[in-house]
């Protein structure tokens, strides 16, 4: 089973989903903008990705820029909370297979998770 954290309005996310569909694997689609992740779920994803919250956050989004202006240094917990409160701050798409996960930027990256 493959899980894709998907934003259907994102072309990279749509391309990643298409790669999974063409690979004919079982897919669970999580529309994380409609079903926001909890702090625990986000921490688990970060562990699977072997990334820090700062590496996963979309730094170009206005919400993140505003947060950075209000605090000199953001802690891991603050960045995670920002992504929980504003799911569009989460880099996309994320594909999980078992204990492994990868960001599909470029979408071809997810091929490394396929059999």
């Amino acid at each position: 089973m493959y899980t894709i954290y998907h934003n259907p309005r994102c072309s990279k996310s749509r391309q990643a989903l298409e790669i999974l569909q063409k690979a004919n694997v079982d897919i669970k689609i999580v529309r994380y903008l409609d079903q926001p992740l909890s702090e625990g779920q986000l921490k688990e994803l970060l562990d699977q990705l072997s990334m820090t919250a700062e590496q996963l956050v979309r730094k170009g989004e206005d919400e993140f820029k505003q947060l950075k202006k209000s605090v000199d240094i953001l802690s891991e917990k603050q960045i995670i909370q920002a992504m929980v409160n504003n799911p569009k701050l989460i880099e996309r798409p994320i594909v999980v297979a078992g204990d492994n996960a990868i960001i599909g930027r470029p979408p071809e990256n997810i091929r490394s998770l396929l059999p």
Side-chain angles (χ1 to χ4, degrees):
M1 172 69 70
Y2 290 78
T3 300
I4 182 170
Y5 292 86
H6 180 60
N7 177 352
R9 295 192 336 219
C10 170
S11 64
K12 302 295 182 198
S13 194
R14 290 192 308 269
Q15 290 170 15
L17 179 58
E18 185 177 332
I19 289 169
L20 290 173
Q21 290 169 331
K22 286 182 177 179
N24 201 28
V25 295
D26 290 331
I27 308 166
K28 175 183 175 185
I29 300 171
V30 177
R31 291 182 165 198
Y32 65 94
L33 295 178
D34 299 332
Q35 303 167 349
L37 302 175
S38 69
E39 183 177 337
Q41 290 171 310
L42 199 47
K43 285 179 178 180
E44 184 177 339
L45 267 180
L46 288 168
D47 285 344
Q48 290 173 307
L49 289 162
S50 297
M51 297 178 98
T52 65
E54 186 172 4
Q55 292 172 308
L56 185 62
V57 72
R58 295 173 58 88
K59 295 173 187 72
E61 296 289 340
D62 288 338
E63 290 84 353
F64 188 73
K65 289 177 183 177
Q66 290 302 317
L67 184 60
K68 285 286 281 184
K69 286 181 184 177
S70 67
V71 180
D72 287 336
I73 299 173
L74 290 171
S75 69
E76 180 84 353
K77 185 170 181 63
Q78 287 171 311
I79 297 171
I80 289 171
Q81 195 57 53
M83 288 189 284
V84 168
N85 294 340
N86 299 292
K88 74 178 191 175
L89 293 178
I90 301 170
E91 188 59 82
R92 60 186 179 258
I94 300 170
V95 176
V96 179
D99 291 331
N100 299 313
I102 198 161
I103 295 176
R105 282 193 174 269
E108 293 76 23
N109 284 353
I110 67 170
R111 292 187 196 282
S112 67
L113 294 177
L114 294 172

